[in-house]
Amino acid sequence: MANHSQLGFQDASSPIMEELIEFHDHALMVALAICTLVLYLLTLMLMEKLSSNTVDAQEVELVWTILPAIVLIMLALPSLQILYMMDEIDEPDLTLKAIGHQWYWTYEYTDFKDLSFDSYMLPTTDLTPGQFRLLDVDHRVVIPMESPIRIIITADDVLHSWAVPSLGVKTDAIPGRLNQTSLITTRPGIFYGQCSEICGANHSFMPIVVESTPLTYFENWSSLLSS
């Protein structure tokens, strides 16, 4: 999860988030190169004496027309690649349905006969040492690590958004519509998120907690809850 005074992204815990961070760094380097070039040219214009001689500038015009196009291609190609990767859902091992309410989440494991629960934020008075205020819930979403997971997201009343930054997931929950996304966790851990769509007075009080576990632990957990 994020720390105080943190300037960068949270540590990536999924392949998609790793790609997003890499693209972010790539785009920043391109922007840095452009800013450096513009600053150099501005300094040069201020320091050098202006010349009244008119010269043929066809070569210069050719460069400043083609160079921005090349820069845009350098940004567009990896961006499109990541967009297609985020939409790709290939034979998931598990399907999870998340339903947004005012102001809590309902989760249904559709591959199991009877496995569903509501997830509410823990009140401050019920927190134990090590738990986070406004972020911990009474029932976490448990998923197996290193397994492709399909998440179907919808809402029961108003617009919500299911977002977990460290997993690179942010999908709107719209009443009457099913949106889907996918994720793969690369390591065990507990990942925190929140509703990212203003959904009413208690919008800030419907957190999301995803717990990534080994497959054997997930099987034991699911058998206990579904029994």
Side-chain angles (χ1 to χ4, degrees), residues 6 25-26 28-29 60 109-110 118 138 145 154 163 175 209 218 220 222:
Q6 180 175 334
D25 296 341
H26 167 71
L28 279 187
M29 291 305 297
V60 177
Y109 290 76
T110 59
D118 296 331
D138 55 356
M145 59 177 289
T154 186
V209 182
F218 173 78
N220 295 331
S222 60

Side-chain angles (χ1 to χ4, degrees), residues 58-73:
Q58 290 183 355
E59 294 82 2
V60 177
E61 291 180 358
L62 186 64
V63 170
W64 72 40
T65 301
I66 295 178
L67 191 59
I70 295 176
V71 171
L72 290 176
I73 292 174

Side-chain angles (χ1 to χ4, degrees), residues 11-26:
D11 293 337
S13 301
S14 69
I16 290 296
M17 191 59 192
E18 292 175 359
E19 293 288 338
L20 289 172
I21 292 177
E22 185 177 350
F23 175 70
H24 170 266
D25 296 341
H26 167 71

Side-chain angles (χ1 to χ4, degrees), residues 4-96:
H4 294 291
S5 71
Q6 180 175 334
L7 298 179
F9 290 103
Q10 299 181 27
D11 293 337
S13 301
S14 69
I16 290 296
M17 191 59 192
E18 292 175 359
E19 293 288 338
L20 289 172
I21 292 177
E22 185 177 350
F23 175 70
H24 170 266
D25 296 341
H26 167 71
L28 279 187
M29 291 305 297
V30 173
L32 178 62
I34 294 173
C35 292
T36 303
L37 177 61
V38 172
L39 182 62
Y40 169 75
L41 293 176
L42 287 174
T43 305
L44 197 63
M45 292 177 62
L46 292 174
M47 300 297 294
E48 295 291 333
K49 293 182 178 180
L50 296 178
S51 175
S52 60
N53 297 329
T54 57
V55 295
D56 191 5
Q58 290 183 355
E59 294 82 2
V60 177
E61 291 180 358
L62 186 64
V63 170
W64 72 40
T65 301
I66 295 178
L67 191 59
I70 295 176
V71 171
L72 290 176
I73 292 174
M74 291 173 58
L75 293 175
L77 290 181
S79 176
L80 290 173
Q81 181 185 13
I82 295 174
L83 283 175
Y84 279 104
M85 289 175 60
M86 294 175 69
D87 285 338
E88 186 68 26
I89 300 177
D90 186 20
E91 297 183 0
D93 293 341
L94 178 70
T95 299
L96 172 68

Side-chain angles (χ1 to χ4, degrees), residues 149-169:
I149 311 297
R150 174 174 57 190
I151 304 177
I152 299 175
I153 301 168
T154 186
D156 185 52
D157 35 43
V158 298
L159 291 176
H160 300 279
S161 183
W162 202 84
V164 183
S166 59
L167 299 179
V169 176

Side-chain angles (χ1 to χ4, degrees), residues 37 39 97 107 137 139 181:
L37 177 61
L39 182 62
K97 186 177 182 181
Y107 297 103
V137 296
H139 293 94
T181 186

